[in-house]
Amino acid sequence: MSCITLLVLLLLLSCALANIKDNNLSGFCAGHPGIPGTPGRNGYPGLPGRDGRNGRDGLPGQKGDAGVQGLRGPMGEQGIPGLPGPIGEKGFKGDSIISFNSAFSAKRSKTHTFPPLEEAVQFDVIIHNDQRHYDPVTGKFTCEIPGLYYFVVHSTVFKTSLQFDIMKNNVSMSSFFQYYGNWPKPVSLSGGALLQLDVKDQVWVQVTVGDYNGIYSSAKTDSSFTGFLVYSDWQNAQILI
């Protein structure tokens, strides 16, 4: 056998073995790759799917931080004034920002000494006289704050009758009398008056009738003169500020 013949047989045998290995017995040798086919057409769109079920509400979110305050807007136009409201009830009288005070109280110290007639009775022992509007030497009160004042006299009467007047600028404003009935012990006589006073008006106590001057004082009994401002006259009081 020639060499060429031997080579052809070996070639045929190797092709047969290759076809058996690839399970392809249709031919003795594998052919060359075929030409790629043409691309296929795009498919038609599918039908819309059914709507899904509504989901559950989510949990509330956390509160956010406060935002930055915005700028103040421009002032709006003034509105139409409303109708007047009903008149309210009268309020209580308030306290004055400026306080006007005037008050005094004094008693007699001259034991068994009766005052002279038609002169101011001296109540020379001061009990209260912060504003010094009462003069214990003269026995007279001098008005420094115009207004309404109240004056009162409490007198012990002993061994004689008593008649005294509350005087304003030499004019009797009120008069009081106690008749002595030979009592073995002292008795009392009191009297008071509300007086409207202007600046520099004076008020005092005076005995004016005969010997009816039985104002008495001792270690256990007193005769006193007291006065104080009830309320001031505002219009005139402003002048003193």
Side-chain angles (χ1 to χ4, degrees), residues 5-239:
T5 304
L6 183 61
L7 292 173
V8 171
L9 290 175
L10 292 173
L11 179 63
L12 291 173
L13 181 60
S14 62
C15 289
L17 292 174
N19 289 334
I20 294 172
K21 183 178 180 181
D22 295 334
N23 293 324
N24 186 1
L25 299 178
S26 59
F28 291 105
C29 296
H32 296 285
I35 299 172
T38 59
R41 297 180 181 179
N42 294 331
Y44 296 101
L47 297 176
R50 291 181 298 176
D51 293 339
R53 296 181 180 180
N54 294 331
R56 297 180 180 179
D57 295 337
L59 296 176
Q62 296 182 351
K63 185 176 180 181
D65 297 333
V68 180
Q69 184 175 359
L71 298 176
R72 184 174 182 179
M75 183 178 295
E77 297 180 358
Q78 184 175 0
I80 301 175
L83 298 175
I87 299 176
E89 298 181 358
K90 184 177 181 180
F92 296 100
K93 184 177 180 181
D95 295 331
S96 170
I97 298 177
I98 302 174
S99 178
F100 296 99
N101 298 314
S102 181
F104 75 94
S105 185
K107 63 182 181 179
R108 282 179 60 80
S109 64
K110 296 179 174 59
T111 304
H112 302 299
T113 300
F114 299 117
L117 299 177
E118 299 183 356
E119 293 183 11
V121 179
Q122 289 180 310
F123 296 86
D124 54 316
V125 178
I126 296 297
I127 300 174
H128 176 85
N129 192 27
D130 285 355
Q131 296 79 31
R132 301 182 183 278
H133 295 166
Y134 172 76
D135 187 349
V137 177
T138 63
K140 295 182 178 182
F141 169 82
T142 301
C143 176
E144 297 293 342
I145 302 173
L148 185 68
Y149 287 78
Y150 181 69
F151 297 92
V152 62
V153 179
H154 296 288
S155 176
T156 299
V157 184
F158 185 55
K159 291 185 179 180
T160 182
S161 299
L162 173 61
Q163 186 275 330
F164 66 81
D165 293 348
I166 296 178
M167 306 291 294
K168 172 186 172 181
N169 300 335
N170 290 317
V171 177
S172 175
M173 306 305 295
S174 57
S175 183
F176 305 91
F177 177 76
Q178 172 69 59
Y179 177 75
Y180 175 59
N182 293 321
W183 303 293
K185 295 183 179 180
V187 294
S188 297
L189 175 62
S190 299
L194 274 171
L195 301 180
Q196 183 71 38
L197 302 182
D198 293 324
V199 177
K200 303 306 178 184
D201 283 344
Q202 289 187 318
V203 178
W204 65 89
V205 179
Q206 182 170 297
V207 177
T208 59
V209 178
D211 295 330
Y212 297 166
N213 60 347
I215 296 180
Y216 176 79
S217 62
S218 68
K220 295 183 179 181
T221 59
D222 289 314
S223 294
S224 63
F225 180 34
T226 299
F228 55 86
L229 176 65
V230 178
Y231 58 82
S232 63
D233 185 345
W234 281 96
Q235 292 181 353
N236 293 333
Q238 298 298 326
I239 300 174

